[in-house]
Amino acid sequence: MKLLKRLSDGKWYSGEKLGEASGVSRTAIWKKLKKLEAFGLEVESSRGRGYRLAIPVDLLDKEVIAHEAGFPESNLYLFPQIDSTNQWLLDQIKTGLNNPVVCMAEYQSSGRGRRGRTWVSPFGVNLYFSLSYLFKGGISSLSGLSLAVGVVVSEVLESYGYMDIKLKWPNDLFWQDKKLSGVLIEVAGDLTEHCWVVVGIGLNINMGACTASSDINQPWSDLNMLSNHFGVDQPTRNELLSQLISALFVLLENFEKNKFGSYRERWMKRDYFDSLKVEAYEGGKKITGSARGVDSHGHLLIESKGVIKSFGGSDVSLRGGSE
């Protein structure tokens, strides 16, 4: 990380100066640079000039985030690399954990999305973070939480001028039919009374700056695209993450009392499938109809053959249908 911090501004540095700053030989610097490339960072070299990152990296800073979010620094954990921020919190819950806690990472080797899918997590270009919170009402009090999280994330982004963000039931944010962000909710502990909720979020910031974008098997968008489209200044990763943490903990602190009903109308205004033909798959069975939003519990509503049906199971898959 010392080497990366020095190179993060994208300027040229000689191998000798990098070695002095890191306390290692020039040969060792070359080996460390190869490790950076393994994370998907492109390192350029030039005889007489030295080394630089092809694209500067906006590194996360725990102290800055704690200050801007108004959150205890002792409850923030920042890792250069990790398997999964969600999994780290779930593991810590087993051994005892303060409430609440945020886990952030520059790189995930095993980032995951809903239903075991992989979340591609290259180093330093996006946001990968998870929040843990202890709910007293059990799992039954969490209905619609992933949808409410989507509302809050989209509202924070809208405050920066990023408009037309759509929410795809139950946990994705889209812009112009391309995935921008995903939410993964996992639960641990006593599911009938006191239970831990882990809210994981992946948000594409500058995915186009790295080769890992080719590993994504569906259309994607990032804030860099939105910034160019709307002509707005892109916030730093530290600033944006601070705002998201602050807004999400307001949500978590009030969700047990307010439930999803207080977020329903805000979600409906951003419904990705609003009134469109859709196909839902539940337990291997296909249901075709027109999307009718969600109910006060966050359950998906589909009108099929004149009857509106409700779907709330975690095994439901939804996609646009044919006319």
Side-chain angles (χ1 to χ4, degrees):
M1 288 302 294
K2 286 182 179 180
L3 176 62
L4 184 54
K5 287 178 181 178
R6 177 57 64 92
L7 290 169
S8 64
D9 58 9
K11 296 180 180 179
W12 290 102
Y13 292 93
S14 69
E16 183 178 357
K17 287 187 176 180
L18 292 174
E20 291 175 356
S22 302
V24 297
S25 67
R26 293 182 63 178
T27 302
I29 285 294
W30 184 83
K31 292 180 179 179
K32 289 180 180 291
L33 291 172
K34 288 299 179 183
K35 290 183 178 180
L36 294 184
E37 291 180 336
F39 284 131
L41 298 171
E42 183 180 354
V43 180
E44 296 179 338
S45 62
S46 173
R47 185 181 298 274
R49 303 176 76 182
Y51 306 93
R52 73 173 182 181
L53 290 181
I55 299 175
V57 177
D58 177 20
L59 294 173
L60 296 177
D61 187 314
K62 186 171 72 169
E63 184 177 348
V64 170
I65 294 169
H67 175 74
E68 294 296 326
F71 193 79
E73 188 175 346
S74 59
N75 286 27
L76 285 173
Y77 294 84
L78 172 60
F79 298 94
Q81 65 180 88
I82 201 171
D83 55 352
S84 157
T85 56
N86 259 36
Q87 189 58 53
W88 186 86
L89 282 174
L90 291 170
D91 291 341
Q92 298 306 305
I93 287 170
K94 297 175 184 178
T95 59
L97 187 68
N98 291 331
N99 182 41
V101 166
V102 178
C103 177
M104 311 166 289
E106 295 285 10
Y107 170 85
Q108 290 186 123
S109 60
S110 302
R112 61 179 186 264
R114 184 172 176 249
R115 305 179 74 181
R117 297 186 179 95
T118 298
W119 188 269
V120 179
S121 309
F123 192 100
V125 295
N126 304 316
L127 290 180
Y128 325 110
F129 67 105
S130 301
L131 310 86
S132 63
Y133 195 82
L134 184 63
F135 276 82
K136 299 178 181 179
I139 194 171
S140 62
S141 66
L142 305 178
S143 181
L145 178 58
S146 66
L147 281 70
V149 169
V151 169
V152 170
V153 173
S154 64
E155 289 178 342
V156 169
L157 295 176
E158 288 162 6
S159 72
Y160 288 99
Y162 301 122
M163 311 308 292
D164 305 323
I165 294 172
K166 298 297 182 180
L167 301 177
K168 180 182 176 183
W169 188 92
N171 62 341
D172 291 329
L173 284 75
F174 274 69
W175 181 72
Q176 293 191 349
D177 298 323
K178 300 174 182 178
K179 185 180 286 191
L180 175 65
S181 178
V183 178
L184 177 63
I185 306 287
E186 296 185 278
V187 183
D190 187 342
L191 303 187
T192 60
E193 295 184 11
H194 290 59
C195 68
W196 284 95
V197 173
V198 174
V199 179
I201 296 175
L203 173 61
N204 295 335
I205 305 293
N206 198 20
M207 178 64 81
C210 62
T211 57
S213 60
S214 61
D215 296 331
I216 303 176
N217 59 6
Q218 64 178 303
W220 55 267
S221 60
D222 62 15
L223 288 192
N224 187 50
M225 292 180 184
L226 275 72
S227 295
N228 292 331
H229 179 84
F230 293 108
V232 299
D233 293 331
Q234 186 167 307
T236 66
R237 293 167 72 227
N238 286 301
E239 177 187 352
L240 181 55
L241 182 51
S242 300
Q243 294 300 314
L244 288 169
I245 289 172
S246 179
L248 287 167
F249 273 122
V250 171
L251 160 66
L252 294 172
E253 289 169 356
N254 293 290
F255 192 81
E256 273 188 298
K257 179 177 68 175
N258 298 329
K259 302 292 190 295
F260 174 70
S262 60
Y263 295 90
R264 180 175 178 269
E265 290 304 317
R266 290 144 69 183
W267 191 93
M268 295 277 280
K269 289 191 298 185
R270 300 170 174 85
D271 184 3
Y272 181 84
F273 285 119
D274 183 27
S275 300
L276 297 178
K277 293 291 184 181
V278 295
E279 296 174 351
Y281 296 83
E282 183 178 38
K285 183 179 179 181
K286 176 181 174 181
I287 300 95
T288 303
S290 298
R292 295 291 183 245
V294 295
D295 62 18
S296 61
H297 301 289
H299 295 167
L300 173 69
L301 299 177
I302 296 178
E303 183 176 352
S304 180
K305 298 179 181 179
V307 178
I308 295 180
K309 300 180 180 180
S310 171
F311 302 89
S314 60
D315 63 335
V316 176
S317 178
L318 178 67
R319 70 186 185 191
S322 57
E323 294 294 338

